Amino acid sequence: MVTIWMVVTITFFLMHAIPGGPFTREKALPPAVMKNIEERYHLNDPLWKQYTDYIQNLVRGDLGPSFKYQGVTVNQIIAESFPISAQLGLASLFIMLFVGLPAGIISALRQTKWQDHLAMSLATVGVAVPNFVVATLLMYIVGVKLGWLPTARWLSWQSVIMPSIALAGYYTAYVARLTRSSVLEVLQQDYIRTARAKGLPERVVVYKHALKNALIPIVTYLGPILAGILTGSFVIEKIFAIPGLGEHFVASIWNRDYTVILGVTVFYATLLVIVNLIVDILYCFIDPRIRLGK
Amino acid sequence: MKNILEVKNLSTSFFTHAGEVKAVKDISFNVGIGEAIGIVGESGSGKSVTSLSIMNLLSFPGKVINGSVCFAGTELTNLKEKKMQLVRGNEIGMIFQDPMTSLNPVYTVGNQIMESLLRHQKLNRGEARKKAIEMLSLVGIPGPENRLNQYPHEFSGGMRQRVMIAMALCCKPKLLIADEPTTALDVTIQAQIIELLKDLKDKINTSIILITHDLGVVAELCSRVIVMYAGSVVEKGTTRDVFYNPRHPYTWGLLKSIPIVNADHKERLIPIDGQPPDLLNTPPGCPFCPRCDHAMQICAQTQPPLSQLGEQHLAACWLLHPGAPRVERGR
Ligand SMILES: Nc1ncnc2c1ncn2[C@@H]1O[C@H](COP(=O)(O)OP(=O)(O)O)[C@@H](O)[C@H]1O
Ligand code: SF4
Ligand SMILES: [Mg+2]
């Protein structure tokens, strides 16, 4: 709660500190019109009054009306565009876990064999190349040259494929590398030798005794990774012209659409707090030492 | 006495980038049924590598390059991995030096003991659980029903070692290899663990190989002792032979370095001067030569053979050659 409040406050005052307002145009509006508008949106109230009003509404779950889009509330914007972003995010998460983790495990078990070299070369490329480059390349090759998938917009289920790959690329590679080094380290541990000395088959040694321990550092990084996917989606949505929340957020900043900026920020902050809570619960779940430490 | 284990001319090397590290060199010994033997030597003398060679658990780049390990009539060095798995944990149990790191932190103690039982014995989960509780109380852990559901970090070092012992013995193995089971523990706990092993040896009737760098521990439990130095056996015999009539200068040094517990429970140890040799480029001659107070010219040139000193007593030192000068063991 404190985190979210701090995010709101900082964003609120920073936003007002930037020159220009939501109704600043290249050609100035007539003073009378301007006055009308400002009264309607309470923009001529003292700043502290605007702030307390906002907080009061926020507590009731009302994020206010958009300044830019007449008659549309911020709640509506989020309700409409967040599901799209969520699909993109979940698809990326899915790719990250179901490609990154197995790739890392296989690399570790086939250490210095061709599978390892292949996976780690790809991972190095994945970590080094920024997501907008991946996005542009994918768009050009798969979308334009081969024509297999739609290049942009959000039309069918196929629309999710390229953006989610572009978004997940870096994190998949990162998870693969992290998994590999984590598995390799765990396999050196004394309790792995104990498991082997018990006569357990290698399969059980790796998938029961090594894997759960190897996941601990990965879960630790999951919070930052998910935050990264969230912010990464701003760029990707822009490139692929996907009408998700990230796209709205970027647009709202250009438009100085105060309530949308604040609303989306609050929404993302809340989301991150929840995500981190889930990660913490997950963490306690796999590491009994944490569970009892608390 | 029939032997449960016969190790003959076992040599194990690690093939590293720098070259071949000869960790175990041509060692032979056997263990009788129900007998406990000790393997002693400073750290780095090849004790652990010997036990891992027996268990066929050497990890890359380690390899048994020569010799045989015959367990209950079966040759283990070339046994198929699948068959070897049925020996490990079932017919040969093993406990390790550091009980803090030898148990998996993310599974309960019960899970880890039952796992062994379920793997090797035809038991259902309920029976395995009962057996695990039985084992925990056998090794002297109070409240075993509750302890079973706890994680390793909820146990003290000594208690964890007891858990390891319960785990290693739950399938009633014919042989238990205990690799420095007390080294990482407090002095008072050490004595308790040795007492426990002594007790269980008779209760379960298992043979034991006790590996340690502490000769005092061996005297408590073992009928025979093997002294290793730089991968070789330098002296072996009955515990009585080695304690009361040691013939190798290295054994003399080890006996001097038996820790003496002072009134304030601090250990005092007189280590042997110098460092063990580099196993990568072993010079010719006796490996103990650079550290030996009694070294002669021949010691630097030719490796001393094992001389038979009694029915069971052997030592590898040129001082035992008929032509050598008589040397008194210094104190
Ligand atoms: N994985 C390894 N790679 C290279 N050399 C090793 C490895 N493991 C052990 N050795 C060598 O084997 C020697 C004996 O080790 P070890 O059997 O563990 O001694 P200890 O008597 O203390 O148990 C070490 O000094 C080391 O040189
Ligand atoms: S052979 Fe020589 S150097 Fe080696 S222990 Fe005997 S006296 Fe010392
Ligand atoms: Mg050792």
Side-chain angles (χ1 to χ4, degrees):
Chain A
M1 280 327 269
V2 178
T3 323
I4 294 169
W5 170 76
M6 273 169 52
V7 168
V8 175
T9 309
I10 293 171
T11 316
F12 186 90
F13 289 106
L14 271 183
M15 190 171 71
H16 283 275
I18 303 171
F23 304 103
T24 316
R25 298 286 182 276
E26 266 161 46
K27 213 160 77 192
L29 291 166
V33 178
M34 197 68 185
K35 193 160 179 296
N36 253 338
I37 293 175
E38 287 194 340
E39 246 161 40
R40 184 157 148 215
Y41 291 107
H42 304 286
L43 282 172
N44 47 0
D45 283 354
L47 203 55
W48 64 266
K49 175 90 171 43
Q50 289 183 41
Y51 174 71
T52 45
D53 283 351
Y54 186 80
I55 296 286
Q56 266 170 26
N57 288 335
L58 182 62
V59 171
R60 292 202 315 267
D62 180 6
L63 298 169
S66 165
F67 289 175
K68 173 82 180 171
Y69 306 102
Q70 289 273 323
V72 182
T73 65
V74 178
N75 293 47
Q76 279 169 341
I77 291 179
I78 292 176
E80 206 166 282
S81 54
F82 177 64
I84 294 175
S85 295
Q87 276 179 51
L88 178 60
L90 287 177
S92 304
L93 193 63
F94 189 83
I95 293 174
M96 185 183 88
L97 293 179
F98 288 86
V99 177
L101 276 180
I105 295 167
I106 290 167
S107 277
L109 297 182
R110 295 271 173 277
Q111 198 193 354
T112 72
K113 307 255 166 52
W114 68 266
Q115 293 95 329
D116 182 25
H117 292 307
L118 177 69
M120 285 307 114
S121 311
L122 284 175
T124 307
V125 174
V127 171
V129 181
N131 58 13
F132 58 86
V133 176
V134 178
T136 320
L137 279 177
L138 275 177
M139 239 170 165
Y140 181 70
I141 297 170
V142 184
V144 179
K145 281 281 166 187
L146 300 171
W148 287 349
L149 294 168
T151 44
R153 299 194 184 284
W154 199 259
L155 303 168
S156 63
W157 64 269
Q158 292 156 318
S159 304
V160 79
I161 297 175
M162 279 200 291
S164 56
I165 290 175
L167 182 53
Y170 174 87
Y171 296 100
T172 307
Y174 184 75
V175 165
R177 292 193 346 170
L178 196 64
T179 308
R180 177 182 187 270
S181 63
S182 178
V183 168
L184 283 178
E185 194 190 315
V186 166
L187 284 176
Q188 298 294 318
Q189 298 297 311
D190 288 348
Y191 52 78
I192 295 299
R193 190 187 50 193
T194 307
R196 292 201 172 111
K198 284 201 266 187
L200 300 176
E202 196 58 20
R203 176 172 41 82
V204 178
V205 172
V206 171
Y207 291 101
K208 178 178 174 186
H209 286 272
L211 202 55
K212 199 169 168 195
N213 282 287
L215 284 178
I216 292 172
I218 296 158
V219 172
T220 313
Y221 279 101
L222 211 52
I225 287 175
L226 291 174
I229 286 188
L230 223 59
T231 40
S233 68
F234 299 167
V235 179
I236 297 297
E237 286 179 10
K238 188 92 201 143
I239 295 174
F240 285 95
I242 295 167
L245 196 50
E247 176 56 348
H248 276 288
F249 187 55
V250 176
S252 70
I253 294 173
W254 290 119
N255 297 334
R256 297 283 193 283
D257 197 343
Y258 286 167
T259 45
V260 177
I261 298 177
L262 265 176
V264 176
T265 307
V266 170
F267 182 74
Y268 274 142
T270 316
L271 199 64
L272 275 180
V273 169
I274 293 169
V275 160
N276 277 315
L277 206 67
I278 294 172
V279 168
D280 278 350
I281 292 168
L282 205 63
Y283 199 57
C284 293
F285 196 69
I286 65 168
D287 192 348
R289 285 163 295 188
I290 306 294
R291 213 179 304 164
L292 276 127
K294 275 181 185 162
Chain B
M1 183 159 45
K2 251 184 73 80
N3 292 326
I4 186 71
L5 182 77
E6 292 178 358
V7 175
K8 267 203 202 74
N9 305 109
L10 181 72
S11 296
T12 300
S13 289
F14 289 88
F15 295 89
T16 64
H17 291 297
E20 179 183 352
V21 176
K22 294 177 179 156
V24 170
K25 286 177 270 189
D26 196 30
I27 66 166
S28 303
F29 62 92
N30 33 38
V31 185
I33 292 174
E35 189 192 18
I37 69 152
I39 302 182
V40 294
E42 291 171 301
S43 86
S45 55
K47 307 180 300 291
S48 296
V49 173
T50 303
S51 63
L52 293 175
S53 303
I54 294 169
M55 289 289 266
N56 228 325
L57 272 178
L58 288 165
S59 50
F60 182 81
K63 204 167 160 4
V64 171
I65 49 171
N66 190 32
S68 92
V69 175
C70 186
F71 172 78
T74 311
E75 175 60 40
L76 298 185
T77 49
N78 54 14
L79 199 63
K80 287 236 163 39
E81 175 60 22
K82 276 267 164 284
K83 291 229 169 104
M84 192 65 217
Q85 283 172 2
L86 300 177
V87 175
R88 288 186 207 125
N90 188 23
E91 305 207 57
I92 308 180
M94 197 161 179
I95 52 183
F96 299 97
Q97 175 169 345
D98 195 348
M100 303 311 248
T101 56
S102 294
L103 288 165
N104 194 329
V106 302
Y107 292 105
T108 61
V109 157
N111 180 324
Q112 295 182 62
I113 299 175
M114 283 162 62
E115 180 179 42
S116 226
L117 289 163
L118 292 169
R119 163 88 174 139
H120 296 297
Q121 306 201 337
K122 289 191 177 61
L123 298 176
N124 61 37
R125 291 197 69 85
E127 291 163 343
R129 198 185 142 81
K130 242 182 89 190
K131 181 86 212 230
I133 292 174
E134 208 177 284
M135 284 313 294
L136 284 183
S137 73
L138 187 68
V139 297
I141 293 179
E145 289 90 353
N146 299 327
R147 291 299 239 169
L148 205 63
N149 300 322
Q150 294 185 336
Y151 290 89
H153 70 269
E154 297 169 70
F155 289 73
S156 67
M159 283 295 160
R160 281 189 220 187
Q161 199 59 295
R162 286 173 193 262
V163 170
M164 283 296 291
I165 294 171
M167 210 161 80
L169 293 180
C170 66
C171 296
K172 297 227 183 320
K174 299 192 182 96
L175 175 67
L176 174 70
I177 303 179
D179 189 351
E180 311 217 23
T182 59
T183 307
L185 303 174
D186 279 359
V187 185
T188 43
I189 311 290
Q190 282 185 10
Q192 290 171 13
I193 295 291
I194 293 300
E195 206 51 45
L196 175 67
L197 284 175
K198 217 160 134 184
D199 190 35
L200 290 175
K201 176 177 160 303
D202 301 326
K203 267 193 195 151
I204 298 190
N205 194 28
T206 173
S207 308
I208 296 179
I209 297 178
L210 177 68
I211 294 173
T212 171
H213 60 240
D214 181 354
L215 265 167
V217 167
V218 167
E220 297 269 324
L221 196 69
C222 304
S223 53
R224 288 187 299 139
V225 189
I226 293 156
V227 181
M228 280 186 78
Y229 182 73
S232 304
V233 173
V234 293
E235 180 158 7
K236 64 179 175 180
T238 62
T239 307
R240 175 170 288 273
D241 289 335
V242 175
F243 268 81
Y244 296 108
N245 187 23
R247 303 297 292 275
H248 196 283
Y250 176 63
T251 315
W252 297 345
L254 277 182
L255 282 166
K256 262 200 274 186
S257 69
I258 286 184
I260 297 158
V261 182
N262 292 341
D264 58 352
H265 290 269
K266 287 257 170 62
E267 278 187 64
R268 193 161 59 86
L269 216 121
I270 310 168
I272 306 170
D273 285 338
Q275 292 295 315
D278 182 4
L279 297 175
L280 201 54
N281 308 299
T282 33
C286 172
F288 193 54
C289 184
R291 301 167 72 186
C292 182
D293 291 338
H294 313 286
M296 300 165 288
Q297 238 170 18
I298 187 168
C299 300
Q301 292 152 9
T302 318
Q303 195 148 8
L306 272 170
S307 314
Q308 194 86 37
L309 304 164
E311 200 194 330
Q312 309 231 27
H313 195 180
L314 290 99
C317 174
W318 284 119
L319 290 175
L320 302 169
H321 191 265
R326 273 194 64 81
V327 171
E328 284 304 313
R329 172 188 168 198
R331 251 283 172 196

